[in-house]
Amino acid sequence: MINGQKSLFNFSETDQNIRFKTLKEVEEVCKTCYKCDLSNSRIKVVFSDGTPEAKLMLIGEGPGKNEDETGLPFVGRAGKLLDKILLSQNITREKEIYICNIVKCRPPQNRVPVPSEREACRVYLEAQIQLIRPKLILLAGATAVKGVLGRKEPISKIRGQWFDGPFGSKIMPIFHPSYLLRYESNEPGTPKYLMYQDIQEVRRSLDAL
Ligand code: URA
């Protein structure tokens, strides 16, 4: 339970997580996973990008077309915007962030992953969190917020706030970068402006660790 809500994570020291000793092992199992139907249509499993040394983790929804083709998360238009926003605070994949998704295989037509698909993939995300132990976790978009915090409020209501996460981490919901692509302007009050504000707060919190 996180903040009194049912969350994706219970980290009950029971099931498969225990058997994963390294991220490499998790990745290998994940790459040959056929637990749900997304495995039938995928080209590549999209496990992660960035540095496992990071104190900051970003969790998105699931791979799109470009990600499915390359095997890397957030490499399409939304990913490029994400990189630009992160770079405004000197946050790069090489040095400071680990990026992954709620589901590791592309949902057909980029539809939202259904609960059974999230559930099938849960063990991999939990293992990523257990092994990386990020201090700060960003949840990009509603699927990540629902999956991890179990909260259903609109992102606009809870973005930019810190919630308690597993292993003493702090979790912040942020807008999904695909949503931001719909807006040109970054004038005060617009979603893009608020996203830049949120990433400034992330920078401050990273610096204070
Ligand atoms: N959207 C996501 O949520 N994740 C990706 O990896 C790419 C786009």
Side-chain angles (χ1 to χ4, degrees), residues 60-64 67 73-74 101 176:
E61 176 175 292
E67 291 77 20
F74 285 103
N101 282 304
H176 194 286

Side-chain angles (χ1 to χ4, degrees), residues 1-3 7 9 11 129 134-137 139 148-149 162-172:
M1 299 280 269
I2 296 175
N3 295 323
S7 82
F9 301 99
F11 290 97
I129 293 179
K135 301 268 187 256
L136 306 176
I137 300 175
L139 303 177
V148 175
L149 287 177
W162 291 113
F163 295 85
D164 292 333
F167 308 115
S169 61
K170 293 280 175 203
I171 300 187
M172 181 194 280

Side-chain angles (χ1 to χ4, degrees), residues 43-63:
I43 301 172
K44 289 196 171 167
V45 171
V46 178
F47 187 69
S48 71
D49 195 17
T51 172
E53 309 299 320
K55 296 193 171 83
L56 177 65
M57 176 185 274
L58 181 140
I59 304 173
E61 176 175 292

Side-chain angles (χ1 to χ4, degrees), residues 9-49:
F9 301 99
N10 53 24
F11 290 97
S12 56
E13 300 265 310
T14 51
D15 53 15
Q16 308 177 54
N17 282 346
I18 302 270
R19 65 165 221 249
F20 294 127
K21 297 271 181 293
T22 63
L23 279 172
K24 193 90 223 120
E25 262 180 68
V26 188
E27 185 168 0
E28 268 161 28
V29 174
C30 188
K31 285 196 163 159
T32 54
C33 178
Y34 297 96
K35 282 165 68 184
C36 82
D37 285 347
L38 297 184
S39 58
N40 298 332
S41 50
R42 75 176 174 229
I43 301 172
K44 289 196 171 167
V45 171
V46 178
F47 187 69
S48 71
D49 195 17

Side-chain angles (χ1 to χ4, degrees), residues 138-156:
L138 303 179
L139 303 177
T143 298
V145 170
K146 214 182 289 162
V148 175
L149 287 177
R151 299 184 75 115
K152 296 195 175 132
E153 298 103 311
I155 301 289
S156 55

